[in-house]
Amino acid sequence: MAHNPHAAQGPEGNHDPAGSTQMFRAFVDDGAPQPGRQAAAPAGPRIGLILGVVVAVVIVAAVAWLALS
């Protein structure tokens, strides 16, 4: 059996045989956002999506108008 130095040793009751819980908690604690620091959302993709939807609605409306007339 391989020795894992990061895993809790002994009969503490919260022993994680894989050590994944401790590693996950360390990952979450390291990646926590800092208070007062917010990343600005890029407006480029959102504007492109809105324009794409508007163009699609106009095309569908034009096709429907031509089909019904």
Side-chain angles (χ1 to χ4, degrees), residues 3-66:
H3 175 68
N4 185 356
H6 299 291
Q9 302 296 322
E12 288 97 38
N14 63 351
H15 175 69
D16 186 7
S20 60
T21 302
Q22 289 86 0
M23 292 183 342
F24 177 73
R25 286 182 181 160
F27 170 75
V28 170
D29 290 341
D30 286 344
Q34 303 298 324
R37 251 181 72 191
Q38 294 182 354
R46 185 173 299 150
I47 291 173
L49 178 66
I50 292 171
L51 289 176
V53 169
V54 169
V55 168
V57 169
V58 168
I59 291 173
V60 169
V63 168
W65 180 69
L66 288 174

